[in-house]
Amino acid sequence: MSDKIYLTGDRPTGRLHIGHYVGSLKRRVEIQESEDYKKLFIFIADAQALTDNIDNPEKVRQNVIEVALDYLSVGLNPEKSTLFIQSQIPELTELSFYFMDLVTVSRLQRNPTVKTEIHMRGFDASIPVGFFTYPISQAADITAFKATHVPVGEDQKPMLEQTVEIVRRFNYIYGNTLVEPKIVLPQNNACLRLPGTDGKAKMSKSLGNCIYLSEEPKELKQKVMSMYTDPLHIHVEDPGHLEGNSVFTYLDAFCRPEHFAEFWPDYASLDEVKEHYQKGGLGDMKVKKFLNNILQAELEPIRNRRAAFEKDIPAVYEMLRKGTEEARNVAAQTLSEVKRAMKINYFDDAELIAEQSKRFQNP
Ligand code: TRP
């Protein structure tokens, strides 16, 4: 049996979109179905979401259930994966507290993800301490479950690097206790980061350039048909460019050979389409229609599954409760090993008590 322990999570700040899907969710389902793992932990990082939404608890609460529904709708199966909610595992907070002593302020300031995110949120002068230190809490998320493999987007690379540093430092000081995780990146290059429908580098709710997994067919079509392409491709005959052309990036991520027979028999492969587009004579509308057909086909089963789960919301919470309970047991076990290694397990260490009493009996 495989001894891989996978772990990954998402902040519940909005419904999940197709960027999450190609970047991570699809891979998780593949892992789940491969059965090449010992454990697959997937969690909703609500405590992390609160680090920059502390005045908006309702938003986080609403999105916990949205994300849970998104998980179930893409085919994550609670029989095979442990789905849980971060904030309900106090051991994670406790672990973070001890990890804080292993990281310097300047190291956190150099974390590129934190740097960009601080800037993006306009926090520059007033960063909440919890937000600033979330890489430490993320290291706790990962190590509490002894994760060996962490499937995440490329933007999370610095988080994993920081986690590895914490693990090494911990093990160096206290002896081998924690496990070094490896990052698992998406395979397809286009999936590393799916741009927004407007051509901006990233899909983001605040930019309004996302296609959600639960998108209705009409909105989906409308979003695809108004996507950013190539501003120099004005007339059909003009040569088109692929770089920075969101429609083609999405095709790279979603198009499969069988889509041609089904939706566009004029072409045999994506390379043929690209060649024609670059030469000139292929209009954006045709390419967008093709992309729309592909996305409609991809999202329909997801939307249908979601609708079925939406009918029994208490069952979704119950599933999360069970997953959380199971995850908590694992985290508690790790924390007890951590405390033993750090020599702060006073009450359950018979050896320590015996040793101390000897020291005071026979000075
Ligand atoms: N920071 C991650 C994100 O924004 C979410 C996350 C929190 C996470 N803890 C994690 C991902 C642990 C992987 C492992 O997407």
Side-chain angles (χ1 to χ4, degrees):
M1 197 174 119
S2 167
D3 51 11
K4 293 180 189 153
I5 297 177
Y6 284 93
L7 173 129
T8 189
D10 302 278
R11 290 183 200 177
T13 53
R15 283 177 289 159
L16 300 181
H17 52 62
I18 62 171
H20 295 115
Y21 184 62
V22 292
S24 176
L25 294 167
K26 210 168 158 180
R27 187 70 181 277
R28 298 180 202 175
V29 178
E30 281 164 18
I31 294 164
Q32 175 185 277
E33 296 314 318
S34 77
E35 302 199 349
D36 177 25
Y37 62 87
K38 186 166 152 202
K39 273 282 175 199
L40 178 51
F41 293 104
I42 296 168
F43 72 100
I44 302 176
D46 61 336
Q48 188 177 104
L50 283 169
T51 61
D52 63 324
N53 285 285
I54 202 64
D55 53 356
N56 206 348
E58 196 51 38
K59 166 175 153 191
V60 173
R61 176 162 68 171
Q62 299 293 345
N63 284 307
V64 166
I65 188 75
E66 293 284 357
V67 171
L69 286 164
D70 285 330
Y71 284 170
L72 295 168
S73 72
V74 296
L76 290 174
N77 175 354
E79 305 280 317
K80 298 179 178 178
S81 308
T82 309
L83 307 178
F84 68 94
I85 306 181
Q86 182 188 32
S87 65
Q88 303 308 298
I89 306 196
E91 284 78 5
L92 297 177
T93 325
E94 202 175 336
L95 201 52
S96 305
F97 185 75
Y98 296 119
F99 285 179
M100 290 200 177
D101 302 324
L102 303 173
V103 180
T104 64
V105 170
S106 69
R107 175 63 182 90
L108 280 173
Q109 280 167 333
R110 270 185 286 117
N111 183 312
T113 312
V114 178
K115 254 185 173 162
T116 340
E117 291 189 325
I118 286 174
H119 188 67
M120 260 167 48
R121 287 166 178 76
F123 271 156
D124 295 81
S126 55
I127 321 157
V129 172
F131 183 84
F132 180 60
T133 55
Y134 92 76
I136 300 176
S137 126
Q138 192 153 333
D141 299 336
I142 295 170
T143 53
F145 303 96
K146 302 210 163 124
T148 57
H149 292 74
V150 180
V152 280
E154 188 195 24
D155 62 317
Q156 296 293 305
K157 234 173 164 169
M159 297 295 150
L160 267 288
E161 285 163 9
Q162 185 131 34
T163 301
V164 168
E165 283 173 35
I166 291 175
V167 169
R168 290 192 181 154
R169 196 153 149 69
F170 187 99
N171 288 348
Y172 177 74
I173 301 173
Y174 303 112
N176 219 349
T177 314
L178 300 173
V179 176
E180 271 185 39
K182 278 198 225 8
I183 189 167
V184 181
L185 290 169
Q187 287 136 328
N188 175 339
N189 256 341
C191 299
L192 281 178
R193 176 167 290 176
L194 211 57
T197 52
D198 57 357
K200 296 237 168 66
K202 204 176 168 179
M203 277 199 193
S204 129
K205 201 174 58 172
S206 51
L207 294 173
N209 62 1
C210 301
I211 293 177
Y212 294 101
L213 283 172
S214 49
E215 207 75 68
E216 291 298 329
K218 221 176 100 210
E219 279 77 47
L220 173 57
K221 180 162 183 198
Q222 193 225 319
K223 285 186 178 180
V224 173
M225 296 319 270
S226 55
M227 265 176 78
Y228 177 87
T229 55
D230 168 14
L232 302 174
H233 192 227
I234 300 165
H235 307 289
V236 173
E237 318 79 63
D238 295 338
H241 299 83
L242 304 177
E243 312 81 60
N245 187 325
S246 291
V247 172
F248 279 94
T249 311
Y250 286 23
L251 284 174
D252 281 332
F254 286 98
C255 181
R256 290 190 299 271
E258 65 266 26
H259 288 139
F260 291 95
E262 204 178 340
F263 300 125
W264 211 4
D266 298 352
Y267 298 87
S269 71
L270 191 53
D271 283 340
E272 264 182 30
V273 176
K274 286 179 178 172
E275 205 178 299
H276 192 178
Y277 188 82
Q278 286 174 295
K279 210 167 67 195
L282 175 55
D284 283 336
M285 276 305 158
K286 284 190 177 169
V287 190
K288 285 179 173 176
K289 270 194 187 138
F290 181 51
L291 176 62
N292 175 56
N293 283 327
I294 293 174
L295 289 179
Q296 295 286 356
E298 190 89 6
L299 296 192
E300 189 189 45
I302 296 178
R303 191 186 314 115
N304 293 342
R305 241 176 285 151
R306 191 185 223 269
F309 286 111
E310 282 174 358
K311 292 206 172 92
D312 193 355
I313 293 296
V316 177
Y317 278 106
E318 178 55 17
M319 175 282 289
L320 289 170
R321 195 194 57 76
K322 277 198 190 133
T324 303
E325 189 175 281
E326 188 190 328
R328 189 171 177 192
N329 288 334
V330 178
Q333 173 59 34
T334 306
L335 186 65
S336 113
E337 292 166 24
V338 160
K339 287 168 104 174
R340 181 164 352 112
M342 295 181 73
K343 302 187 181 296
I344 51 174
N345 59 333
Y346 310 105
F347 305 138
D348 61 1
D349 188 346
E351 213 174 293
L352 165 93
I353 296 170
E355 206 178 275
Q356 292 296 349
S357 78
K358 218 162 99 201
R359 183 161 84 88
F360 287 100
Q361 290 347 299
N362 320 298

